[in-house]
Structures are given as structure tokens and as C-alpha cells.
Amino acid sequence: MSASRTERLLNLLLALLNTKVGLTRAVLRDKIYHDSAENDVAFGRMFERDKVDLKQFGFEIETLMDPRSFAGDDPATTRYRIGKDCNRLPDVSLTPAESTVLLLAAQLWERAALGTAAANAVRKLQAAGGFTDVDLPAGVQPRIKPAGQAFDDVVAAMHGRNPVRFGYLAVSTGREEVREVEPWGLGSRFGQWYLVGLDRGRGAKRLFRLSRMTTAVSVVAGEHFDPPEGFNARAELAELNELPVQQAVLEVDMDRLLALRKRAAFVEAVPDDNNRDHIVVEFRDPEQLAEELASYGPHVKVAGPAELRAAVVRRLKAAVDFDALPLPQLTFPEAGRAPRARKRTSEDQLARMLQLVPFLVHHQGLHIQEVADHFGITRKALIDDLKILICSGLPEGYPDDLLDIQWENDHVYISEHLDLNRPVRFSEDEAGALLTGLAMLGDLPALAGMPEDEPGSALESVTLKLTGAAGQAGRLAGSVAGQSVAPEQSQAFATITRAIREGQQLHLHYLSLQRDEVTERDVDPLRLFSLDNTWYFEAYCHSKAGLRNFRLDRVELLEPNGRPVSGTATAEQDFPARLFTPSDDDVLVVLQLTRQGAGLADDYYAERTAQLPDGGLLAEVRFGNAEWLPMFVSQHGGAVRILEPEGLRQVTRAWLDAALAEYGSASDSPAG
């Protein structure tokens, strides 16, 4: 990243913001580009590129012609300036209730493609002084978990208006086909994410379910498109009919898979010696059920329908085929986790500075580490930013023409901001992240315990305020539509939030999927968090004498036991809440993830990662229960494989082979 380029862009912006009559090209070259441009041609090219870069931030550069000039477009007399109110975020003042609702909405995207955009949008509101610092009610932390890397890739293509290409398992033919699509929007419906766009091969609008994409999403280089005027993903998905109810006929090992049996409409013992039961389970989505059934490996066999059976076999074969590939070189960087984000650029640094200056104006005297933590950067990176800022200013170069920032005893103050005291407007992705997140909250604020007269009105009022502040940038909000994240288990959710507020223990009956049994627990509830509309609560479990996470949809009974919490444990301070708490007894596993499955490194808190040439990832992950890993590999069908330890890899491969043998499809491929 070029610090000189960042400084040049910042100085150009300051110069054009702080002139009434405009500056000529000669002045700009002499004062801004004197160290960069060797001649007029080089200066002209750099200036034009920089104008494009500033326009990406929404700063429109006005061109002023001298009417006294004989040639009105004489470059020697043409002047340039930027209006002081150009692209400034309008004043937005939020009440504590509105700030709480907005924070819930912004944190939905914490680990999705729009996570950075949502965080930047909140920082802009904080920088403008309109956001009240609030705590989430009862430790509630909702967030969504979109459909893997495909979601991120499609969002990026939508922003750039680039067509995409991907492999797709067609519903009509059951075959994999390559599709080239203009991505107009994304939305969630019936628990699945869909891409809506123009299928170029068919010349018509089509919907594509992200879970049916069989390859990574790639951008069609050098091409762009314009989406339809007024496109709305929510309206498009509203026309999508729910799949009809079907019945799956399954052969299940006797006394196994309790979770599956509890959903069965019919159970019958098979009259032979194979120790199995026939059960019938109703379902709508074969792909969704196939993911679950594949995870059960050899303990279940699909007798019908054929589509469901094929979907399970496809996942198992994909896992075996991935395992059979040659092993990659197992090398991790010494620093630990390899960054998966794109390389930082001067535009990234300038965007942060345009948030940093107004933030310091409204938050004088903060500790330098607190400022760095707020922007998610290191102390060194913040000091590098501050060093560039204090060297930047107006072309005259006098001391009063420079940004004046000091950090005395590690506390940061700013006394001269040169009209950078207001952040720039929301970008399309920032506005889209907040407005879409607000639309997804549904009844969650009320369920989370906000006063009954506040949540509905706060949700409505903050949406109106942000829609007005976003202006044209709110277009993307119509391109992304998610479903409500409010939990289906509303009564249990309310019981837990009330117990957290009142400091009361809870007694529960809980279905453990790994142990395949229902257990009784007394717990101290600590906080609630979600992935999509699957909700968990973190609690201190007295029978296990440790912190545990419980899925609400596996809680069969929940009630106060009349005792106060013990105070043995408190909620962890990390955000988001972790589904797994590492311990010394964990098994350290090295995984290989495809590009489509790379998000699993974040989901399972990889301690070290390394990029692979094909876009995949090596990940070193701790697992508390190694017996569960064959289920994990089977479920993700070809997106993940175990590399080390070797014994665990062999156990998993034997599990997969045994599962395929149920269908007469034992693999001939040797273990990798």
C-alpha cells in the first residue's frame, strides 16, 4: 500500500474542499503533485485517476471555466473544486432505543459479506455523533450465516455489476450445468438463499439456489450490466412457491438417531436380522434433508424417493473423491491465521481516515488503543494513519493549514479538521447492509425484552431515518432480502431472556445430537445468539461443571427451578459468541477446505490458516469431540477433508465408505 498515494489523495481532497473559487491544474501540480509527477503528461494521467478515485467516495469534482478566456475550455484557466456539503452524511440523531435496534441489525452481518459494510456504516454514525452507545438487551447477539463463499462472491459481483459464471445442479434434469448470470439480487426464502438474475443462456429471469451451486462463483471478466429499474428481491421471492410435502422412507439403525425418530410420522421394525427400523419422515426440500441424512453416515439408508437418495449419495461420493486427491503441502505462516480479505489499498486507508477525523472530533481524548480497537486495526496501523493525517493539509502549507492532531500520554485530540468533521455518505453496500438488516429483525426487538411501546416504533423510526440519510445509496437494500431472524421458539426465548435479566437458574430437558439422548440439566443462562434463525443460548451447566451452548430447537422442556444463578461463570466478552470453547483436551485437526467451504475456518475458529493456490484453505482447528468429525465431513459433502491426524482421517474415510456401501456404491478410490 502506498502511503504517498494515500497522502496525495487526502491532500487533493482537502485542497478542493477548502477553495471557493477553485484551483487551476498548475496550482494543483505545483502544490499536490510536485513529488509525484515528473512532467505534464504524468501529472495529467495521475490527476484523472485521482478524480475517478474520489468520485468512488461520492466527491463530485466541479469544473469551473473562466468566462474571460477566449477559449472557454482552456486547461490553463480551468479551475476545480468540491462543494463543502458534497457527499456528507446528513445529520442523523438516534434515540437509545433506535440505537439498540440499529446495533442488532448491523451485527447480523458480522461474518457475512456485508459485515464490513455494516461496521463502517455504524462507525460513520458514531463519527457524526448521532449514535448512542448502548448494550444489547439480555446479551442477545443475532447474526446470519449466509450460504458460504457463494454469497460473498455474488454480493461482490452485484456491487460491481459484473456477470458471474458457476456450475449448477439443475432441478429439472438432475445434471450439472454451467450457467452465466447477471446477478440482480439475493434473498432468503424457506430457509434457503437464492440468486435472482438474468440467465444469459436462456435469455430469461431465473432463480438459483446457492446450495445447488456445484463450483465456485467466478466473475465474467471485462463485462458489466445494468439491473432492471426498481428491482426488488423481496417481491421476486414472494412469488416463489413452497415445495410440496413429500415422505422419505428411511432405514435407521435400531435405537439410534433419536432426533430423526422424534420427527417420524411412522416407525416400523424391519422383520429381519439387520437391527433396523423403517421410519417415514415428512420433508419439503430434498437437498436440505440430504445434508442432514448424509451426516448420519452408515446409520441410515434412504429407501426413497429417488431424488433424496441421489442427493445423499452425491454428498458422500463428493466427500470420498475429495479425500482421494493428493495431499497438499502442510505449511502454515508463522503469524497464524492467513488473512482472507483482499489486499489493503490506498482507497481503503483513505476511507478509514474519512471516518477517523470526524470520530476524533466527536470523541476527544480517547486512549489511542481504544481508537485502534474501534476501527479494528492495530495500534501501529493507527499511528501510521495519524502520521499521514498530521502531514496533510491545504496547498499553502502554513502550520494553520494542516490537520492538527496530537496524542499526548496516549490520548488523542484533534483541534483542526479542515472541514472533514462530517463523515461521507453511506455507500450502497453500507446502506444496504443496515436497511436489509432492519427488515430482517421482525419481532426480535420485542422478544429481546425491549419495552413494549418502544421496539415497533423504534424499528420503524430508525428505518425511516436511515432511508432518508442513505438517499440513492439505499438502492442495494432492494437487492438483498432476508427472512426474519426472530426465533420460532419464542416462548423459550422469552423464558431465557427473563431468566438472564432476573438472575434465575433454569431446568431443561435437552436432546444431545452427538450423544443421541435426552438429558436433564440445571443451568445458569448467560446470553443468546443465533446463526440465521437457529438460536443458541450459552449457560453454565451444573451437571457438567462448565460452559455449554444449547440449541433452542433441541430443548424439550425449559422452566425456572426456583434458584438464583450461582455466579460461577459469567458470559464471555468475545463477540460474536463462540459455538465452541477451546480446552486443553481438544483434538487439534488440520483440515483442507475448498473455496466454497473456506468459511468453515471462521465458523470453527481456526487457530492457523494458509491459502492454497486453488483458492481453498488449510485450517488448523480444535475440536472437543473427535467422534463427531466423520459426521462433519459427510455433512459438507466435498467441501472439507481431514489431513491430520492420520488416524482420524482413516476413521472418517472408513465411515464414508461404509455409508456408500449402504447404496451399493463403495468407493474404489484409495484414501488420499
Side-chain angles (χ1 to χ4, degrees):
M1 180 175 58
S2 169
S4 60
R5 182 166 181 265
T6 304
E7 188 173 351
R8 187 182 74 240
L9 283 171
L10 182 59
N11 282 325
L12 177 63
L13 175 61
L14 289 170
L16 298 179
L17 276 174
N18 288 274
T19 175
K20 293 182 179 179
V21 299
L23 300 174
T24 64
R25 295 170 71 94
V27 170
L28 290 173
R29 182 186 175 188
D30 180 52
K31 301 296 185 181
I32 307 296
Y33 293 83
H34 55 87
D35 291 331
S36 306
E38 298 178 356
N39 51 53
D40 286 341
V41 174
F43 159 68
R45 291 173 179 169
M46 294 177 68
F47 181 47
E48 293 303 318
R49 284 199 302 268
D50 290 349
K51 285 198 296 182
V52 171
D53 290 338
L54 291 181
K55 188 174 182 179
Q56 290 179 348
F57 289 99
F59 292 108
E60 292 287 348
I61 298 179
E62 300 177 45
T63 303
L64 307 176
M65 303 299 182
D66 189 347
R68 297 169 299 176
S69 172
F70 177 76
D73 58 351
D74 183 1
T77 59
T78 299
R79 294 174 176 267
Y80 304 90
R81 71 178 182 186
I82 297 175
K84 287 187 179 295
D85 291 328
C86 177
N87 199 43
R88 300 306 179 89
L89 184 69
D91 291 332
V92 180
S93 180
L94 302 179
T95 66
E98 291 170 339
S99 296
T100 300
V101 171
L102 182 61
L103 190 59
L104 286 170
Q107 292 185 345
L108 284 176
W109 302 104
E110 190 273 338
R111 280 163 62 189
L114 297 176
T116 300
N120 284 338
V122 171
R123 290 194 192 106
K124 287 181 178 180
L125 291 170
Q126 291 171 321
F131 187 89
T132 304
D133 289 334
V134 293
D135 294 322
L136 294 177
V140 175
Q141 297 182 357
R143 66 188 190 275
I144 64 170
K145 182 179 179 292
Q149 185 64 38
F151 184 94
D152 293 9
D153 293 339
V154 171
V155 168
M158 285 166 49
H159 290 177
R161 299 188 177 183
N162 303 118
V164 294
R165 186 180 294 119
F166 52 85
Y168 191 73
L169 186 65
V171 177
S172 57
T173 64
R175 296 194 301 269
E176 182 179 351
E177 304 171 356
V178 176
R179 302 292 183 92
E180 189 171 302
V181 179
E182 297 178 2
W184 297 345
L186 276 169
S188 178
R189 181 84 163 154
F190 309 128
Q192 294 287 332
W193 282 91
Y194 291 86
L195 162 64
V196 186
L198 176 68
D199 186 329
R200 287 183 161 184
R202 289 152 180 78
K205 179 183 69 179
R206 290 289 189 271
L207 276 72
F208 303 91
R209 198 168 71 186
L210 268 60
S211 62
R212 282 184 170 270
M213 292 180 177
T214 57
T215 67
V217 176
S218 61
V219 170
V220 179
E223 296 191 31
H224 296 82
F225 69 92
D226 291 318
E229 190 72 25
F231 174 82
N232 186 281
R234 190 177 302 278
E236 294 289 341
L237 290 173
E239 300 177 2
L240 187 64
N241 294 322
E242 192 168 13
L243 295 172
V245 175
Q246 300 183 64
Q247 289 190 330
V249 180
L250 311 173
E251 296 179 16
V252 180
D253 284 356
M254 196 171 293
D255 301 324
R256 298 297 299 265
L257 308 186
L258 185 57
L260 195 61
R261 290 173 178 272
K262 284 180 175 293
R263 307 204 310 266
F266 177 78
V267 179
E268 179 185 29
V270 180
D272 55 29
D273 296 328
N274 65 2
N275 292 321
R276 286 201 158 182
D277 295 329
H278 276 170
I279 73 172
V280 175
V281 175
E282 292 186 344
F283 72 99
R284 291 184 183 273
D285 188 335
E287 294 295 327
Q288 200 166 15
L289 181 58
E291 182 177 315
E292 177 187 356
L293 296 179
S295 74
Y296 298 144
H299 297 305
V300 63
K301 177 182 177 181
V302 180
E307 181 184 11
L308 177 63
R309 180 186 176 103
V312 172
V313 172
R314 185 175 66 251
R315 280 171 168 75
L316 295 172
K317 287 185 68 67
V320 167
D321 291 343
F322 191 20
D323 179 75
L325 293 177
L327 298 180
Q329 183 177 358
L330 301 184
T331 304
F332 288 98
E334 292 183 4
R337 291 178 60 85
R340 291 177 52 216
R342 65 186 178 88
K343 185 177 179 180
R344 291 172 60 204
T345 65
S346 295
E347 290 81 5
D348 296 329
Q349 191 176 30
L350 180 58
R352 186 171 63 245
M353 289 177 175
L354 294 178
Q355 297 175 33
L356 179 59
V357 172
F359 179 80
L360 295 177
V361 169
H362 288 90
H363 300 82
Q364 297 280 1
L366 284 182
H367 192 279
I368 195 166
Q369 188 60 53
E370 188 175 351
V371 178
D373 292 343
H374 177 79
F375 284 89
I377 57 176
T378 64
R379 175 191 174 103
K380 180 182 182 302
L382 175 62
I383 291 177
D384 289 343
D385 287 353
L386 295 176
K387 287 179 179 179
I388 291 178
L389 286 170
I390 62 176
C391 294
S392 302
L394 305 184
E396 287 74 19
Y398 297 110
D400 290 343
D401 295 329
L402 297 175
L403 289 165
D404 193 353
I405 303 173
Q406 312 90 34
W407 51 100
E408 301 173 359
N409 298 321
D410 277 352
H411 291 268
V412 188
Y413 300 86
I414 181 169
S415 54
E416 177 57 64
H417 53 70
L418 298 179
D419 283 321
L420 291 184
N421 59 319
R422 288 165 55 196
V424 299
R425 282 184 179 271
F426 295 135
S427 64
E428 285 190 356
D429 56 344
E430 291 166 353
L434 290 187
L435 292 173
T436 304
L438 288 169
M440 294 173 66
L441 288 183
D443 297 330
L444 180 62
L447 291 175
M450 292 181 62
E452 292 184 1
D453 60 339
E454 284 190 346
S457 58
L459 182 58
E460 181 180 355
S461 59
V462 73
T463 301
L464 289 173
K465 288 180 180 180
L466 290 182
T467 300
Q472 292 299 316
R475 179 192 67 83
L476 187 64
S479 301
V480 182
Q483 291 182 282
S484 171
V485 296
E488 295 180 4
Q489 305 80 16
S490 57
Q491 185 173 353
F493 187 96
T495 300
I496 296 167
T497 54
R498 185 166 56 251
I500 293 174
R501 290 196 304 271
E502 298 175 357
Q504 296 295 316
Q505 283 188 27
L506 293 172
H507 179 75
L508 67 150
H509 293 186
Y510 186 70
L511 171 60
S512 172
L513 195 63
Q514 293 180 16
R515 298 176 60 181
D516 211 9
E517 64 180 0
V518 176
T519 59
E520 293 190 43
R521 316 282 186 100
D522 287 306
V523 302
D524 298 344
L526 301 174
R527 59 178 172 178
L528 287 138
F529 56 98
S530 75
L531 290 176
D532 293 335
N533 60 352
T534 300
W535 280 86
Y536 303 79
F537 73 99
E538 181 184 51
Y540 177 80
C541 178
H542 289 274
S543 62
K544 298 297 183 183
L547 290 176
R548 293 293 187 272
N549 293 310
F550 302 94
R551 272 181 61 153
L552 262 63
D553 59 356
R554 294 182 188 156
V555 174
E556 298 191 351
L557 175 70
L558 181 71
E559 59 186 9
N561 64 10
R563 295 193 292 269
V565 296
S566 63
T568 305
T570 57
E572 297 291 337
Q573 297 302 310
D574 59 303
F575 181 87
R578 296 170 66 99
L579 283 177
F580 308 97
T581 303
S583 71
D584 295 337
D585 297 330
D586 290 345
V587 178
L588 194 61
V589 181
V590 178
L591 304 174
Q592 181 181 352
L593 307 170
T594 65
R595 189 174 188 276
Q596 291 169 284
L600 294 170
D602 293 330
D603 294 342
Y604 291 90
Y605 318 110
E607 296 190 353
R608 292 195 299 170
T609 61
Q611 291 279 2
L612 294 172
D614 62 359
L617 206 64
L618 292 179
E620 191 176 67
V621 183
R622 290 185 178 275
F623 289 97
N625 186 351
E627 295 178 0
W628 168 75
L629 282 168
M631 298 178 64
F632 170 70
V633 173
S634 303
Q635 175 187 4
H636 292 288
V640 56
R641 67 165 167 168
I642 296 171
L643 301 180
E644 291 183 348
E646 173 64 20
L648 185 56
R649 190 184 70 82
Q650 294 289 354
V651 167
T652 301
R653 177 56 184 268
W655 166 280
L656 293 169
D657 285 339
L660 278 174
E662 293 289 330
Y663 301 94
S665 303
S667 172
D668 296 327
S669 302

